[in-house]
Amino acid sequence: MLPFSRDARKYEQLRKSLAAYRMVFGQTRQEDLVAYLLQHVGPERIEGLSTQLRIDPGPPDSEPG
């Protein structure tokens, strides 16, 4: 692709759309997800969000009876 061509802009738009689509359906590519988050959220908030939104696939903690 030539720099500043319409194809370059369309490619970037397509890449962003694909990243959003994959996030919605849980099929993210990690590098696309990280790039998207860094661009839209910022590194200072990512750490807090990662602990808040983390999914633990382990068994739930049981409370003593």
Side-chain angles (χ1 to χ4, degrees):
M1 284 184 280
L2 297 174
F4 305 108
S5 72
R6 282 187 276 169
D7 288 341
R9 280 183 289 175
K10 287 182 181 179
Y11 174 76
E12 190 58 35
Q13 289 173 344
L14 179 63
R15 198 169 146 254
K16 288 179 183 179
S17 296
L18 178 63
Y21 173 85
R22 288 178 174 265
M23 280 193 294
V24 169
F25 290 101
Q27 301 173 347
T28 59
R29 288 188 353 204
Q30 290 178 356
E31 58 273 0
D32 288 343
L33 177 60
V34 169
Y36 181 87
L37 289 174
L38 287 174
Q39 185 176 11
H40 289 89
V41 176
E44 65 281 352
R45 287 198 53 219
I46 289 178
E47 186 174 340
L49 287 173
S50 69
T51 57
Q52 185 180 11
L53 301 174
R54 184 174 294 138
I55 296 174
D56 183 2
D61 295 333
S62 60
E63 295 181 18

